[in-house]
Amino acid sequence: MGLFDRVWNAAKSMAVGHAITIREMFHRPVTVRYPEEKPPFERGSRSVPVLKVNEATGLLNCVACGLCERSCPPSCIEIVQAVDAAGKKKPWPETFELDLSHCMVCNLCIEACPFDALEMADVVELSSYQVQDLIFSKDQLTELWKTSKALRVAGGERI
Amino acid sequence: MNILLAAALKVVGVLVFVMANAFMLIWLERKVSGYIQRRYGPLRVGGPAGIYQSAADILKLLAKEDFMPGGADRWLWLLAPVVSMVPAVLVYLVLPIGRTFTLQDLGVGLVFFSSVTSFTLLAIFMAGWGSNNKYSLLGAMRAGAQLFSYEVPLILSTIGVVLIAGSLRLQTIVAAQTQHGWFFFEQIVGFIVFFIASIAELNRTPFDLAEGESEIIAGYHTEYSGMRWAMFMLAEYSNLFTSSALGVALFFGGWHGPWLPGWVWFLLKTYIVVFVGMWIRWTLPRIRIDQLLDLGWKFLLPVSVANILGTALVLMVR
């Protein structure tokens, strides 16, 4: 390649490069100014498992079968089944605690649940300076369900 | 007494302008780089579009420890940032800011400009040698090779303009363009050589080998911190402004323009040229040292000499 071809090629490629950068400059930035504007949650993304309430009866869908507890890889779910005065087991949890400081947001509990009792909520801003604030009780998880939208529901993606 | 007062006022004015200009340009550089990369750039510190970011930077740099490396050459190390500021401030003397507004309209303004800016090399070498650091020395040697080889085409590229205008006085050169038309159109080759060489003189990307952070950390200011480092930056941004201003004075008619007052035109054109420099910085990658020297000696130098010859022939025939 001769000198003039090389100079011409250099000039042409520089012109193309500068055209690209000036064009990008007048596009809208792709970054999100996080606390002021929040990006939408993608359908099927994972955040926090929360407990669903049956709207007809007002009770939890959970029957304390313990499948989620057993499927949980970091063992962050702890369920104690309710027992009546006679010592008979009842189909609802006495306690349902989720330790978010361990939870790795794998969605396996929700896939394991056969009763449509758990779902992924669109909540992520739950950070705290105290680790015990990250252990969520049954009532707190229900509250979270009431104030959030579902991203994934039990038994796969049916939303 | 009046002369002293006027001189003091000029010095204070120039220093204030250097500070304000660096303040603006650092913010502008961040914004331009941000928008080219489809980000927002600084936003959080406050002010319109985050313009107080530079103020926060200056406060941070003032609060930093002034650390001298062990085994450093004390006086060279201490003086290098000051020496780098001297040419940056001195060149404001000859800039033709308005129709009747020049701090000191020297008859050899262009020669003064190019000879004073050569002092930057001295500061860089003082910093590189004084730091007792191999990266600093490597950066300084690269800067030496680069500034030395681009000084020549930079000066030669302006000679075409001098031939047409018939003067080295910057005000006369600008005044010649009001009748003759901007020299950019006739001296486009000269302008391209001038612009490439002035970017190289400023050590800016794509010619920022002297501070190539992926190879030699930060080159000659590796060992500087706090306000001393800030003085290098201040000098760098001041030089960016003044060399763009020289380009405007030589090729784009300086203060010449309709309706608005002269100094507004001058600043407007200068900042447009500065923006083009930033645009180039955020587009092109850094080139190698051998490519840099090849470009300087084998391409820009012959082209600028040919430009002088061509201009001289055309003037002689006419």
Side-chain angles (χ1 to χ4, degrees):
Chain A
M1 218 165 31
L3 177 68
F4 286 101
D5 284 339
R6 275 164 55 204
V7 171
W8 172 248
N9 275 339
K12 202 170 68 178
S13 59
M14 273 196 278
V16 169
H18 285 91
I20 288 173
T21 44
I22 200 79
R23 205 164 57 227
E24 292 298 318
M25 206 174 152
F26 293 106
H27 281 165
R28 214 174 157 275
V30 290
T31 47
V32 177
R33 289 172 279 191
Y34 168 62
E36 288 92 27
E37 51 182 81
K38 293 178 182 173
F41 287 90
E42 295 299 324
R43 185 174 158 275
S45 59
R46 307 185 305 223
S47 54
V48 183
V50 293
L51 280 170
K52 275 176 97 166
V53 176
N54 189 324
E55 293 191 350
T57 60
L59 298 171
L60 290 177
N61 276 357
C62 180
V63 298
C65 65
L67 283 177
C68 50
E69 189 179 11
R70 256 173 277 164
S71 71
C72 183
S75 302
C76 65
I77 300 175
E78 191 180 324
I79 301 173
V80 176
Q81 196 169 12
V83 182
D84 68 0
K88 192 167 178 288
K89 286 182 177 174
K90 291 287 176 188
W92 60 81
E94 183 67 42
T95 60
F96 186 105
E97 286 188 346
L98 177 75
D99 188 351
L100 262 185
S101 66
H102 287 181
C103 180
M104 61 189 218
V105 201
C106 64
N107 199 47
L108 286 179
C109 51
I110 289 159
E111 281 172 22
C113 184
F115 296 103
D116 191 23
L118 284 166
E119 68 181 32
M120 280 286 171
D122 60 348
V123 189
V124 287
E125 290 160 344
L126 295 166
S127 54
S128 165
Y129 286 107
Q130 306 293 327
V131 80
Q132 53 267 40
D133 291 350
L134 291 173
I135 301 172
F136 283 77
S137 71
K138 186 172 71 175
D139 298 333
Q140 283 170 306
L141 290 173
T142 314
E143 277 306 306
L144 275 181
W145 176 75
K146 282 175 186 160
T147 57
S148 63
K149 289 212 295 278
L151 298 171
R152 277 168 182 251
V153 293
E157 293 180 32
R158 281 188 277 117
I159 43 171
Chain B
M1 192 59 212
N2 268 338
I3 295 170
L4 279 180
L5 192 67
L9 274 179
K10 282 174 184 175
V11 170
V12 170
V14 167
L15 284 177
V16 166
F17 182 79
V18 167
M19 287 296 287
N21 176 57
F23 198 87
M24 248 286 291
L25 286 188
I26 289 171
W27 171 80
L28 188 69
E29 179 115 67
R30 287 185 167 146
K31 276 294 185 196
V32 167
S33 76
Y35 277 97
I36 280 178
Q37 296 162 2
R38 297 188 72 175
R39 299 181 282 112
Y40 286 100
L43 278 175
R44 298 285 172 202
V45 185
I51 198 167
Y52 297 158
Q53 179 76 45
S54 310
D57 276 339
I58 290 169
L59 281 181
K60 182 201 78 172
L61 288 168
L62 278 170
K64 271 192 162 185
E65 185 190 358
D66 185 20
F67 179 80
M68 189 165 82
D73 194 326
R74 187 182 172 80
W75 287 107
L76 284 188
W77 190 85
L78 287 174
L79 280 177
V82 184
V83 173
S84 82
M85 278 297 284
V86 170
V89 175
L90 263 185
V91 290
Y92 283 92
L93 202 61
V94 292
L95 288 183
I97 295 160
R99 190 179 296 268
T100 54
F101 182 27
T102 313
L103 294 183
Q104 187 67 53
D105 194 15
L106 296 179
V108 286
L110 194 57
V111 179
F112 177 81
F113 194 101
S114 50
S115 54
V116 164
T117 45
S118 309
F119 270 102
T120 314
L121 180 57
L122 186 66
I124 288 173
F125 228 89
M126 282 165 76
W129 182 260
S131 292
N132 189 29
N133 178 324
K134 60 186 170 191
Y135 297 116
S136 298
L137 188 57
L138 272 174
M141 277 159 62
R142 282 184 182 189
Q146 180 179 331
L147 295 187
F148 180 62
S149 48
Y150 279 78
E151 197 83 29
V152 183
L154 182 73
I155 295 167
L156 289 181
S157 65
T158 59
I159 290 181
V161 170
V162 174
L163 285 177
I164 303 176
S167 172
L168 287 165
R169 188 190 292 266
L170 286 172
Q171 279 288 10
T172 316
I173 291 174
V174 175
Q177 293 178 71
T178 57
Q179 274 108 48
H180 186 275
W182 294 359
F183 290 149
F184 168 73
F185 301 109
E186 288 170 36
Q187 288 290 317
I188 184 149
V189 178
F191 174 71
I192 289 168
V193 173
F194 174 85
F195 198 56
I196 295 174
S198 68
I199 289 173
E201 283 284 298
L202 294 167
N203 280 329
R204 284 170 68 81
T205 321
F207 306 107
D208 65 338
L209 294 137
E211 48 197 86
E213 47 282 272
S214 50
E215 303 143 21
I216 50 171
I217 310 179
Y220 53 89
H221 45 59
T222 302
E223 294 287 1
Y224 286 89
S225 61
M227 256 345 252
R228 289 184 196 281
W229 180 81
M231 281 172 89
F232 276 118
M233 279 291 123
L234 220 60
E236 192 180 316
Y237 279 96
S238 177
N239 286 337
L240 173 63
F241 177 84
T242 45
S243 74
S244 304
L246 182 67
V248 165
L250 291 179
F251 295 99
F252 292 104
W255 38 257
H256 176 231
W259 307 308
L260 296 172
W263 60 273
V264 175
W265 273 112
F266 181 77
L267 287 181
L268 195 68
K269 288 173 187 173
T270 306
Y271 280 115
I272 288 171
V273 175
V274 166
F275 170 76
V276 173
M278 290 181 177
W279 181 16
I280 289 170
R281 172 169 180 182
W282 296 103
T283 303
L284 298 178
R286 186 183 304 135
I287 63 176
R288 282 199 319 265
I289 187 79
D290 59 321
Q291 293 169 332
L292 175 99
L293 295 178
D294 273 3
L295 180 68
W297 290 111
K298 293 187 190 166
F299 183 72
L300 294 184
L301 185 62
V303 166
S304 54
V305 170
N307 182 46
I308 295 172
L309 282 178
T311 312
L313 277 176
V314 168
L315 283 178
M316 202 173 72
V317 170
R318 219 190 263 166

